[in-house]
Amino acid sequence: MVHAPTRPSRSEAPATQAVRRAGGRRRRSEDLTKLLFVLPAAIAMLALFGYPVVKNLVMSLQDYGLRTFFTGAAPFVGLDNYVTVVTDRLFSKALVNTALFTIGSIAFQFAIGLGLALFFRRKFPLSSLLRSLLLLPWLLPLIVSSATWRSILEQDNGILNRSLAGLGIINEPVPWLNSPSVALIAVIGVNIWIGIPFNVTLLYSGLSEIPDELYEAGSLDGATGWKAFLHITMPNLRAVAGVVLVLGVVYTIKVLDIILGLTGGGPANATQTLATQSYERSFVDFKFGEGAALSNILIVLSLLFAIVYLRGTRRAVDE
Amino acid sequence: MFTQRITAALAGATALSLALAGCGDSGGTSSSSGEAVTSLSILDYYNNEPDKSLVQKGLDACATKLGVTLQRETVPGADLIPKVLQQASSKTLPDVLMLDNPDVQQIAATGALAPLNDLGVSADGFTQGIVDATSHDGKLYGLAPVVNTIALFYNTKLLAEAGIQPPKTWDELRAAAKKLTKPGRYGIAFNANATYEGAWQFLPAMWTNGGDETDLTSPQVAEALQLWVDLVTSGSASKSVINWTQGDVKDQFVAGKAAMMVNGPWNIPSLNESPQVKWDVVQFPVNKPGQTPIAPLGGEAWTVPLNKDEAKQQKAADFVKCLSSDDNELAWAKARFTVPTRTALGPQYVKEVPSMKAFSEQVANARSRTGKLGEKWPDAAKVIYQAIQLALTGQASAQDAFKKASGS
């Protein structure tokens, strides 16, 4: 009787089945409840995120111009829009500028932000007041910041050149926003100023999470100062730093208002980025198809960074 | 409270009975097109005072005359075209639509506007430049009651101190600008930024010298660009002109940081608020004696979007016609420092508003930006402002800038 033990006895079977059935019903209604919880968020995501992305994708394959709004006709043109924007003589310049702008901004924002966060870890009088004052650039509307910086950086009467000249640091006024070779640096500088609070805030909270015991134990083993930073602070800050950097890249790569406010992409296209080009094609030239194509390229670039970030964090979790 | 409710109930009952009576009456006697048009919707971008109320006066006068009420909406200048696109796609365009004159052909080309000739409106007696701007394929799509242009403002006190007459030629302009430049003050200010505004400010020099937007690589255009380059490289104009708007230019002039400026008459109200600045206006100087100063025409046209309701469309056209009546043109021109488009009104206007003399002369020969290229004008304008930027930042010579900017 090999099969006997595996086969359920007749008297037993209905009971187990009933239990199983009841359990299944409960599980199903539980599933339904779960689904209902997810549904609002899913609908919101689809309506506010999914639809624009899909619409943008479709638009980038269409000849979508001024006329479309009146006639509704937007003929499909395949990849023509992508070809047009990629072969444009400003594309490579905009791409390089986007890279320089992003890397330059992030590197300095992060370094200065980390420095300030470490500085504020030491308790000193007024430290929390100073730390909250540091948030100011973040609280100002970007259009206000850029208008203010535009007047600060003005070549003839801007306060920066006047101060530098008064201190004897420069003899000739620096053409901050007027020279194609300086303008990008000036724009990056302003963006660094705007991004510092974000970096300080997140890195500071990351630093506060590191238990003091680690530093105490480390100091017993002789790890103080620079060594403590390298072997205790950095490894423990890795997760937060990762978030700060990836969010920083995603925010910076698409920056538009600061550049528009400061230089409008000029002088002589020196500060054109993919974002400003996309804006210009859509809302100045009314070639929405081409603008959509450029913005899709931009989305793919940010997506690449997001994937790198997700893989990085997954590896950290696995470890 | 109680009485209010009774009144409301009574009003409701009255309205209902009236509506029922209306239904009974209309049985077969009146068709939908015969219904009297009692209201018109209007969209424009005069959203700032004093323009907003000054325009409202003219609109109200015509509304009273035609027996209609108005629903007017105003939006900021930069929002008008996006708003029009939005309304076009949702089929909610207003009955009367104001458009900046260089946009008229582009919008007309989409088939959104009603040809005014078919509705009994003509532009006879209007200055030719503005008729070109508001026509497309030989049909008239809008009427501009008043227009503006740009010319050379100068600070009379500073010129008198330096013993200089207002410049009539480019050489005189270069010399005057140089002589008027002192520490903390430039001889001249203009706008050469990378927008359509920068292109517009360049047109007086380009057109006066015989340059043409259909051939931007001609020596005449290069000479005009050389004038801008000379003014900046000699230090007679700030290097910041490549970032200035026309508003910035006016601020420099009012602050005494520029002795002359290229700008339009819409600045006169704000110049009058600073009585310490004494100024006058001359036409834009010419390169060689014998040339005529030719400047671009600015100003807005009133159009009638296509409407299925023919009665309403006709009423809207009548309204647009009324806005360009002699009386309204003069009223708007006087109140808003603009030039009437009916040429016959010119002499009378200048007599009444002498400060507009130079602008009136300049308008007589002015050209519209879209007169030759139509809806292709924005492409040319883009090449113009990019070439200016290349030349003023030293990335190309005035001769090569236009070639480089057009990517050839």
Side-chain angles (χ1 to χ4, degrees):
Chain A
M1 295 293 276
V2 186
H3 299 293
T6 55
R7 199 174 268 182
S9 73
R10 264 179 200 191
S11 60
E12 212 179 276
T16 4
Q17 270 173 10
V19 170
R20 210 178 286 152
R21 217 178 294 139
R25 208 177 298 142
R26 201 178 304 140
R27 207 173 304 138
R28 226 172 292 141
S29 73
E30 224 170 71
D31 284 349
L32 192 70
T33 322
K34 281 184 198 159
L35 203 69
L36 282 175
F37 270 108
V38 175
L39 205 61
I43 291 174
M45 283 279 281
L46 275 180
L48 301 174
F49 196 74
Y51 173 75
V53 168
V54 172
K55 175 85 183 162
N56 208 43
L57 266 176
V58 174
M59 207 187 251
S60 73
L61 302 173
Q62 289 173 314
D63 178 11
Y64 203 106
L66 200 64
R67 214 171 276 261
T68 309
F69 288 88
F70 297 95
T71 59
F76 276 90
V77 291
L79 293 174
D80 278 9
N81 288 331
Y82 288 91
V83 174
T84 310
V85 299
V86 171
T87 53
D88 188 86
R89 72 200 162 82
L90 280 178
F91 181 75
S92 54
K93 189 175 202 175
L95 196 65
V96 172
N97 281 350
T98 308
L100 288 176
F101 182 77
T102 309
I103 296 168
S105 299
I106 297 294
F108 283 95
Q109 280 173 5
F110 187 80
I112 299 172
L114 184 59
L116 284 169
L118 286 168
F119 176 65
F120 281 111
R121 275 278 281 164
R122 301 157 185 259
K123 294 279 169 285
F124 54 91
L126 296 180
S127 70
S128 51
L129 176 76
L130 277 177
R131 201 156 46 82
S132 41
L133 280 181
L134 210 63
L135 283 176
L136 271 180
W138 208 10
L139 301 178
L140 286 176
L142 285 178
I143 205 74
V144 174
S145 313
S146 52
T148 312
W149 274 103
R150 211 184 131 203
S151 68
I152 292 174
L153 295 172
E154 220 271 322
Q155 185 171 355
D156 301 318
N157 301 303
I159 193 165
L160 184 62
N161 274 347
R162 283 288 175 96
S163 310
L164 290 177
L167 292 169
I169 297 173
I170 52 167
N171 294 323
E172 284 289 305
V174 181
W176 293 111
L177 301 175
N178 295 341
S179 156
S181 45
V182 187
L184 188 63
I185 298 171
V187 172
I188 293 174
V190 173
N191 194 48
I192 292 171
W193 175 82
I194 288 168
I196 287 174
F198 173 77
N199 283 264
V200 174
T201 312
L202 264 76
L203 291 172
Y204 179 82
S205 67
L207 286 176
S208 327
E209 294 289 304
I210 304 174
D212 285 337
E213 291 82 8
L214 282 181
Y215 289 101
E216 285 165 18
S219 69
L220 289 179
D221 293 335
T224 51
W226 185 244
K227 273 189 182 160
F229 174 75
L230 216 59
H231 298 291
I232 302 173
T233 312
M234 281 314 277
N236 281 292
L237 204 59
R238 218 176 76 181
V240 177
V243 174
V244 171
L245 286 176
V246 170
L247 285 182
V249 168
V250 172
Y251 286 151
T252 309
I253 207 167
K254 66 176 173 62
V255 161
L256 174 71
D257 19 24
I258 299 164
I259 301 180
L260 282 187
L262 282 173
T263 62
N269 293 319
T271 53
Q272 292 282 6
T273 62
L274 292 181
T276 59
Q277 280 280 290
S278 168
Y279 170 84
E280 205 173 297
R281 280 174 192 273
S282 294
F283 297 104
V284 179
D285 304 348
F286 301 120
K287 290 171 182 157
F288 291 91
E290 292 176 11
L294 256 183
S295 67
N296 282 333
I297 294 174
L298 208 55
I299 291 173
V300 169
L301 284 178
S302 336
L303 205 64
L304 286 179
F305 277 101
I307 290 169
V308 170
Y309 161 67
L310 285 176
R311 293 189 61 152
T313 47
R314 196 191 305 146
R315 201 175 305 137
V317 170
D318 289 348
E319 278 167 12
Chain B
M1 172 88 176
F2 190 59
T3 46
Q4 258 175 23
R5 209 178 288 165
I6 291 180
T7 326
L10 280 175
T14 325
L16 187 66
S17 57
L18 280 176
L20 287 171
C23 276
D25 275 352
S26 70
T29 50
S30 69
S31 68
S32 68
S33 61
E35 267 171 35
V37 177
T38 55
S39 72
L40 288 175
S41 56
I42 296 183
L43 176 65
D44 64 71
Y45 67 37
Y46 302 109
N47 68 320
N48 284 327
E49 295 299 347
D51 261 0
K52 187 176 178 176
S53 349
L54 293 174
V55 168
Q56 185 72 47
K57 262 189 208 164
L59 297 176
D60 284 343
C62 283
T64 317
K65 204 169 161 193
L66 294 178
V68 291
T69 55
L70 300 177
Q71 282 115 38
R72 179 185 181 205
E73 187 182 359
T74 58
V75 294
D79 294 351
L80 182 72
I81 294 294
K83 176 99 189 172
V84 168
L85 296 182
Q86 217 174 41
Q87 292 183 331
S89 58
S90 60
K91 310 266 179 262
T92 52
L93 280 170
D95 302 319
V96 177
L97 171 65
M98 184 226 78
L99 288 172
D100 194 12
N101 80 72
D103 295 333
V104 172
Q105 295 210 25
Q106 230 180 347
I107 304 290
T110 66
L113 303 178
L116 295 179
N117 320 70
D118 306 348
L119 299 168
V121 180
S122 83
D124 293 341
F126 279 58
T127 180
Q128 189 54 39
I130 199 65
V131 181
D132 292 343
T134 52
S135 303
H136 179 72
D137 273 349
K139 287 194 167 167
L140 184 71
Y141 286 94
L143 277 189
V146 289
V147 286
N148 60 55
T149 186
I150 42 180
L152 189 70
F153 283 80
Y154 64 94
N155 187 317
T156 47
K157 191 166 143 260
L158 295 180
L159 263 76
E161 276 171 12
I164 302 176
Q165 290 298 312
K168 289 200 171 63
T169 64
W170 291 3
D171 284 338
E172 288 176 22
L173 180 67
R174 288 189 184 99
K178 185 142 205 179
K179 202 166 173 195
L180 288 161
T181 303
K182 295 269 147 62
R185 184 179 87 203
Y186 287 104
I188 187 167
F190 53 91
N191 155 1
N193 71 12
T195 69
Y196 294 136
E197 210 178 69
W200 141 271
Q201 282 244 327
F202 178 67
L203 291 177
M206 180 172 124
W207 281 344
T208 299
N209 196 38
D212 198 293
E213 61 271 30
T214 52
D215 178 18
L216 288 172
T217 50
S218 73
Q220 288 91 334
V221 178
E223 275 173 18
L225 185 52
Q226 190 63 49
L227 173 66
W228 260 202
V229 173
D230 288 347
L231 289 171
V232 171
T233 48
S234 67
S236 306
S238 168
K239 288 197 164 60
S240 300
V241 294
I242 54 171
N243 279 321
W244 279 347
T245 63
Q246 294 189 118
D248 295 330
V249 168
K250 185 258 300 173
D251 290 344
Q252 297 287 324
F253 186 78
V254 170
K257 287 179 180 170
M260 300 182 281
M261 69 166 173
V262 181
N263 225 327
W266 59 88
N267 292 299
I268 293 178
S270 106
L271 287 175
N272 286 343
E273 279 170 23
S274 318
Q276 79 280 6
V277 181
K278 300 274 181 267
W279 54 271
D280 206 345
V281 191
V282 286
Q283 292 199 62
F284 194 83
V286 295
N287 185 17
K288 298 174 192 121
Q291 288 177 332
T292 315
I294 301 174
L297 271 179
E300 294 79 18
W302 299 84
T303 67
V304 178
L306 274 181
N307 199 330
K308 285 208 181 68
D309 185 342
E310 284 178 14
K312 205 152 209 180
Q313 183 172 288
Q314 184 59 55
K315 200 70 156 184
D318 295 344
F319 187 78
V320 166
K321 193 175 176 181
C322 171
L323 290 180
S324 283
S325 64
D326 286 3
D327 290 346
N328 194 53
E329 285 206 0
L330 270 179
W332 270 359
K334 274 190 265 185
R336 298 175 48 228
F337 293 98
T338 43
V339 179
T341 43
R342 289 181 187 275
T343 41
L345 298 174
Q348 186 193 343
Y349 175 61
V350 173
K351 211 156 71 192
E352 289 182 48
V353 193
S355 65
M356 288 297 290
K357 183 169 178 288
F359 283 112
S360 299
E361 289 164 359
Q362 188 111 23
V363 159
N365 295 313
R367 262 174 61 186
S368 81
R369 283 159 280 178
T370 48
K372 288 199 176 171
L373 290 178
E375 45 178 331
K376 295 266 181 280
W377 161 252
D379 299 334
K382 227 173 156 171
V383 173
I384 292 177
Y385 69 65
Q386 295 199 337
I388 297 173
Q389 293 258 311
L390 288 173
L392 291 187
T393 55
Q395 302 208 315
S397 68
Q399 283 75 31
D400 299 337
F402 281 92
K403 255 190 201 136
K404 205 170 166 190
S406 60
S408 58

